[in-house]
Amino acid sequence: MPELPDEPHPSHRPGALDDTGQLPIMFGGPGPSLLHGTRAAPAGPDYEAIQRSPEFTGLRSRLRRFIFPMSLLFFAWYLVFVLLAAYAHGFMSTRVFGEVNVAMLLGLAQFASTVLITGAYLRFANRRLDPRVAALRRSLGR
């Protein structure tokens, strides 16, 4: 029977990854150390604790109070436009001035409402959300 070498397998010696040029990338954070048999200390903030914190739940609630009503309002407005286009041909083809009809104006109003909603969200986020996010980050030491 052949003798086993005294030296460990090259992949088990310290610095083996350095020799290969490979980087130890582990999804989900640091795992057990293959080289030392110990568990590495977790890096970064405890995201689960942050998610359960009253500050974060309040922030998420405030965001939802803006997003859901605004989304429903826009969806209803879009649905009215589509239904008018599908079933109210006479109304939608009514000329307002020149060759411009009601359908064209309502179609352009869809784009305008998108821009207005985006502006309203930016204003809301800058005034209501961003200061709370900054406070939460400061409390985490980031």
Side-chain angles (χ1 to χ4, degrees), residues 21-87:
Q22 297 176 5
L23 296 175
I25 299 174
M26 297 174 205
F27 296 102
S33 172
L34 298 176
L35 301 177
H36 306 321
T38 60
R39 184 141 184 97
D46 182 2
Y47 292 110
E48 290 177 8
I50 294 168
Q51 187 176 7
R52 289 187 303 267
S53 73
E55 295 87 4
F56 184 81
T57 55
L59 182 63
R60 191 171 50 199
S61 173
R62 184 170 283 216
L63 176 65
R64 286 179 178 163
R65 282 193 310 261
F66 180 87
I67 295 290
F68 289 135
M70 193 62 70
S71 297
L72 288 174
L73 179 69
F74 183 78
F75 181 71
W77 156 231
Y78 179 73
L79 187 61
V80 166
F81 174 72
V82 170
L83 290 174
L84 286 173
Y87 298 108

Side-chain angles (χ1 to χ4, degrees), residues 8-19 34-36:
H9 189 273
S11 65
H12 296 293
R13 73 175 197 278
L17 291 176
D18 297 334
D19 294 345
L34 298 176
L35 301 177
H36 306 321

Side-chain angles (χ1 to χ4, degrees), residues 1-15:
M1 178 176 233
E3 280 189 42
L4 296 175
D6 292 336
E7 195 172 311
H9 189 273
S11 65
H12 296 293
R13 73 175 197 278

